[in-house]
C-alpha cells in the first residue's frame, strides 16, 4: 500500500498499478491480486475507467504506425485567456507526434503543424482524420495534403467517435495536467505541457494499449514488453511456490 499511496497511481485503477509495479520491478503480482488488496483498504474507485474495454467506434483500426493520424483543436485556458491547442496523434499507438499552443485558430497553424510532422516522418503516407472545421476543409489545407502525399478524411457530422482517440487525449490532458497545474505565463504553459506530453508518450501506461506506453507501440516494442512482463510473473510464481514448499517442509 505504501507504493500506491506514495505515487497516487490508484487514481488510474488497479490494472495500471499492477503493470507499473511489474515494469518498475517493485512487485510481481497480477491485476486481480492488486484489486483484492486495494479493495480491502477501500482504494478501488468505482468511477475509474477501463479504456481497454471500449467498444469499437469510428474508422477501422490501423495495424501499424503512421497509417492514420488524428488532428483536432481544443481550448486551453491560461491565466484567464483561452488558447487553441492543436495536435496530431498517431492512430495506432496514440502517440502525440507534435502539437502547438496557438493564440489564434487560423488555418495556417494547422498547416504548419502537419508539415512539421511530415518532415519528422517523411516516408509516411498517412490518412489524416479531422472534423469539419473550416481550417480542415479549406483549399489551402487540401492542397498541402496533396503536396505532402498524405490523405484526409472528414469525420461524419454528429459522429465525434470517429476522432474519439484524440478527444479522449484532450480530456486526459485537461484532467491530469491542465487543471492540476499552475501556469505563470504563456511560455511557462507551453514548457509544462511539453513535459507532460513527453510523460504521456513515454511513461504513462495506456489502458487501450494493454497498459503499455504509446512509444512502446510506436517503436515496435509491444511484444518484447509483454514478454518481459510474462517472464517476470512466471519467475515470481516459481519463487512463491518454492517459498511455500520450503515453509511446509
Amino acid at each position: 500500500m505504501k507504493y500506491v499511496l506514495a505515487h497516487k497511481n490508484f487514481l488510474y485503477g488497479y490494472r495500471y498499478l499492477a503493470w507499473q509495479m511489474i515494469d518498475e520491478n517493485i512487485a510481481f503480482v497480477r491485476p486481480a491480486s492488486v484489486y483484492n488488496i486495494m479493495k480491502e483498504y477501500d482504494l478501488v474507485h468505482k468511477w475509474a475507467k477501463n479504456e481497454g474495454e471500449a467498444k469499437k467506434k469510428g474508422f477501422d483500426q490501423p495495424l501499424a504506425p503512421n497509417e492514420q493520424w488524428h488532428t483536432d483543436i481544443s481550448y486551453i485556458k491560461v491565466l484567464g485567456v483561452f488558447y487553441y491547442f492543436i495536435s496530431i496523434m498517431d492512430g495506432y499507438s496514440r502517440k502525440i507526434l507534435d502539437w502547438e499552443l496557438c493564440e489564434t485558430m487560423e488555418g495556417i497553424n494547422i498547416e504548419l503543424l502537419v508539415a512539421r510532422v511530415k518532415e519528422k516522418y517523411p516516408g509516411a503516407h498517412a490518412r489524416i482524420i479531422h472534423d469539419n472545421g473550416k481550417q480542415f476543409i479549406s483549399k489551402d489545407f487540401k492542397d498541402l495534403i496533396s503536396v505532402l502525399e498524405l490523405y484526409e478524411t472528414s469525420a461524419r457530422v454528429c459522429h465525434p467517435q470517429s476522432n474519439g482517440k484524440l478527444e479522449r487525449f484532450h480530456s486526459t490532458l485537461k484532467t491530469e495536467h491542465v487543471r492540476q497545474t499552475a501556469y505563470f505565463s504563456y511560455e511557462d504553459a507551453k514548457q509544462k505541457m511539453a513535459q507532460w506530453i513527453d510523460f504521456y508518450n513515454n511513461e504513462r501506461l495506456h489502458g487501450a494499449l494493454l497498459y503499455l506506453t504509446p512509444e512502446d507501440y510506436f517503436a515496435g516494442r509491444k511484444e518484447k514488453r509483454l514478454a518481459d512482463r510474462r517472464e517476470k510473473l512466471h519467475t515470481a510464481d516459481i519463487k512463491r511456490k518454492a517459498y511455500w514448499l520450503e515453509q511446509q517442509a
Side-chain angles (χ1 to χ4, degrees), residues 162-180:
S162 299
N163 218 5
K165 293 176 182 177
L166 196 50
E167 294 287 349
R168 180 58 188 268
F169 169 77
H170 288 159
S171 176
T172 300
L173 169 66
K174 292 175 183 179
T175 300
E176 296 185 13
H177 173 66
V178 175
R179 294 171 188 151
Q180 307 294 327

Side-chain angles (χ1 to χ4, degrees), residues 2 6 22 29 32 42 52 110 120 144 227 245:
K2 290 182 180 179
I22 291 172
V29 292
D42 195 28
I110 295 289
K120 287 183 179 180
L144 175 67
L245 287 174

